[in-house]
Amino acid sequence: MQGKVIIFKGNIKSFKTSGGEVTLQLVADTNDVSLDRLNEISEGMVMVNLEASQTELLTQESEKK
């Protein structure tokens, strides 16, 4: 894919599906995303790559074992 790239940290606020389409609402701090850059690439096709990491916290009972 050729084009412009914007990378930022954010969270998925909500998502919904309708037929074969998915709508994602993302939330990001303005310190983490360039609004000028986002505006620059907002027209036309967009490819989104989502990456996530999750940390599972242990309960106190599990820590005692």
Side-chain angles (χ1 to χ4, degrees), residues 50-54:
L50 299 174
E51 294 182 17
S53 61
Q54 181 175 348

Side-chain angles (χ1 to χ4, degrees), residues 1-57:
M1 176 184 159
Q2 292 184 356
K4 300 172 184 173
V5 176
I6 184 169
I7 298 172
F8 60 90
K9 294 179 183 179
N11 293 304
I12 296 176
K13 183 174 184 179
S14 66
F15 68 93
K16 66 179 180 177
T17 60
S18 177
E21 295 182 346
V22 176
T23 301
L24 294 171
Q25 185 175 19
L26 303 175
V27 178
D29 189 303
T30 54
N31 292 325
D32 294 330
V33 61
S34 166
L35 299 180
D36 291 333
R37 186 87 166 130
L38 184 60
N39 187 53
E40 191 177 306
I41 66 167
S42 64
E43 295 183 13
M45 298 290 295
V46 175
M47 184 173 88
V48 177
N49 293 320
L50 299 174
E51 294 182 17
S53 61
Q54 181 175 348
T55 303
E56 183 177 334
L57 299 177

